Amino acid sequence: MRGKSALKLLLGTCLIMALSTSLIAGCAPSGGDSSDGGSGDGSEGYGTWRYADIHPVDAPAAVMAMGMADLLRDRTDGRIDIEYYPSCQLGDWSEVLENVEVGTVDMGITTANDAYDARFGIDWAPYRFFTWDQATEAFQPGGWCLEILESIYEDHNVKFLGYGMRGFTGVSLNEYPGKLPPEPVGIKIRTPPIASWKAAWETMGYLPTAIPFSEVYTSIQTGVVEGQAGGGSEQMYIVVGDIQGCWIQTNDWMDNQPIGMNMDLWNSLSAEDQGTLTDTVNEVLWGPDGFNKQSEELEEVWRQKALDDYGIESYILTESELAECAKVVRENVWPSLEADLGTDIYEAMVANCADL
């Protein structure tokens, strides 16, 4: 498969494949280590690159990566040859970024880890934005949040190539509590181990507890918690759809698939191949048939599947209701973020965040 038609076919196919499968929970570098800033002939960067992902091979992010690999192999006459490793084969999400930094992995989904560098908290801060247009403004090439992340990644020897948006998050529960956030309900839910998330959900009236992703299903099943937050409608349907009763879409955070590669490997490429790589990633993510456009369309698909297959009702907050959630979270949670983010990053977030 080659060119734009191949990318469109691959991404289109994933809409069918991903809806019929279950999520699977889950080395020496082949590139060069020259730091010639792209001025060389690229020969040291040739060979097979290892691309790490946490998703199963038929997930949308996986199909995106394989389509991108096909395009790059074709457009560089095989000089860039990516071998895809799904399902945490080269490390879970908290490990991939570090592996790419040191070069034991060449490229992959380098999710920002604020435990690794507190400044990455800029990508976990809730309610920086709450609509797709606002998120696009933050993460498209040249976007305000993208540029901040590029600088932080560079400090870790990682070339940040682009930001895939997987969909806005929410909370799934055993049953509808009769109130929408930020009205308090006192229900115990799972959240990822992110301090700002715990504080945000407390502010929105819930009782959050940090539980590893691999234990979400059993924690709900055994009654440790009554629901979960941390992913979008895709995660809700695939991971806990058969044991939950409602979905409240709060748009507090954008689930993401950031793509990064080892900086030494990047620097070993010729300027021409660097340009081809950048252009291809942008096309795959931001093109009219790209990952981000299809992710936006998929949000409703997953919600409808949850209703059809499991009877899960979805409650979608209006833009004014989302703004009210954002207001209380920004007032009560954001001030504590400055110490970790640093004043410059914090002030940039405040200056560029979506208007209420």
Side-chain angles (χ1 to χ4, degrees):
M1 290 183 287
R2 294 290 183 263
K4 293 183 179 180
S5 61
L7 174 61
K8 184 173 182 180
L9 176 60
L10 278 166
L11 288 173
T13 301
C14 86
L15 309 190
I16 300 172
M17 295 175 65
L19 289 173
S20 62
T21 59
S22 296
L23 185 64
I24 302 173
C27 353
S30 56
D33 60 0
S34 169
S35 57
D36 62 5
S39 61
D41 63 6
S43 59
E44 293 188 36
Y46 291 171
T48 300
W49 297 2
R50 296 186 177 210
Y51 186 106
D53 198 354
I54 65 172
H55 300 93
V57 72
D58 48 11
V63 179
M64 170 193 72
M66 290 184 288
M68 179 181 66
D70 268 359
L71 292 173
L72 286 168
R73 191 176 298 110
D74 181 50
R75 292 172 178 179
T76 63
D77 296 323
R79 292 189 302 278
I80 294 179
D81 183 21
I82 293 174
E83 185 172 349
Y84 179 71
Y85 290 83
S87 302
C88 300
Q89 292 181 40
L90 301 182
D92 68 20
W93 76 269
S94 63
E95 298 170 324
V96 172
L97 174 59
E98 184 175 1
N99 291 338
V100 171
E101 175 178 358
V102 300
T104 53
V105 170
D106 300 303
M107 188 176 182
I109 300 298
T110 50
T111 302
N113 188 346
D114 69 338
Y116 190 50
D117 184 330
R119 296 176 300 166
F120 279 128
I122 182 64
D123 202 22
W124 293 97
Y127 282 118
R128 295 159 294 168
F129 39 73
F130 44 86
T131 71
W132 274 90
D133 285 345
Q134 294 164 356
T136 297
E137 183 178 349
F139 291 125
Q140 66 188 345
W144 68 269
C145 200
L146 185 76
E147 291 188 339
I148 293 172
L149 286 169
E150 286 174 339
S151 177
I152 302 172
Y153 273 101
E154 186 173 354
D155 289 344
H156 290 280
N157 199 42
V158 174
K159 172 63 177 178
F160 191 46
L161 296 168
Y163 199 93
M165 300 190 293
R166 191 177 175 190
F168 274 112
T169 53
V171 60
S172 63
L173 303 168
N174 289 337
E175 59 184 14
Y176 179 57
K179 298 178 181 179
L180 294 173
E183 293 187 77
V185 293
I187 294 175
K188 194 171 184 179
I189 62 169
R190 174 268 175 179
T191 65
I194 306 296
S196 61
W197 277 42
K198 180 178 184 293
W201 280 103
E202 287 174 343
T203 298
M204 291 194 289
Y206 287 75
L207 303 175
T209 183
I211 294 175
F213 179 76
S214 60
E215 299 174 16
V216 169
Y217 190 91
T218 55
S219 296
I220 296 173
Q221 194 175 41
T222 58
V224 174
V225 292
E226 297 179 54
Q228 60 86 35
S233 52
E234 173 192 344
Q235 176 175 304
M236 173 271 295
Y237 172 80
I238 295 177
V239 179
V240 297
D242 62 333
I243 56 172
Q244 294 275 258
C246 85
W247 169 253
I248 302 174
Q249 181 125 3
T250 53
N251 288 22
D252 47 295
W253 184 68
M254 174 61 73
D255 199 357
N256 57 72
Q257 310 297 301
I259 300 174
M261 67 178 291
N262 179 264
M263 183 66 78
D264 297 327
L265 178 58
W266 165 264
N267 286 334
S268 75
L269 300 177
S270 67
E272 179 183 0
D273 284 344
Q274 287 179 348
T276 299
L277 178 54
T278 300
D279 291 345
T280 301
V281 172
N282 285 337
E283 177 186 333
V284 168
L285 293 177
W286 296 100
D289 300 309
F291 181 79
N292 291 333
K293 177 63 176 177
Q294 294 207 23
S295 292
E296 183 177 3
E297 296 170 352
L298 272 174
E299 279 193 331
E300 175 56 32
V301 174
W302 293 114
R303 291 194 296 261
Q304 187 62 48
K305 285 287 292 181
L307 177 62
D308 294 343
D309 295 352
Y310 301 122
I312 294 176
E313 295 282 353
S314 291
Y315 299 84
I316 314 301
L317 273 65
T318 66
E319 193 162 330
S320 62
E321 289 170 335
L322 291 171
E324 177 60 24
C325 288
K327 181 175 184 292
V328 298
V329 168
R330 291 181 187 181
E331 289 177 350
N332 292 280
V333 178
W334 277 24
S336 64
L337 301 179
E338 184 173 1
D340 287 336
L341 298 181
T343 299
D344 289 346
I345 293 176
Y346 180 78
E347 290 181 349
M349 179 178 72
V350 172
N352 289 281
C353 66
D355 293 334
L356 301 180

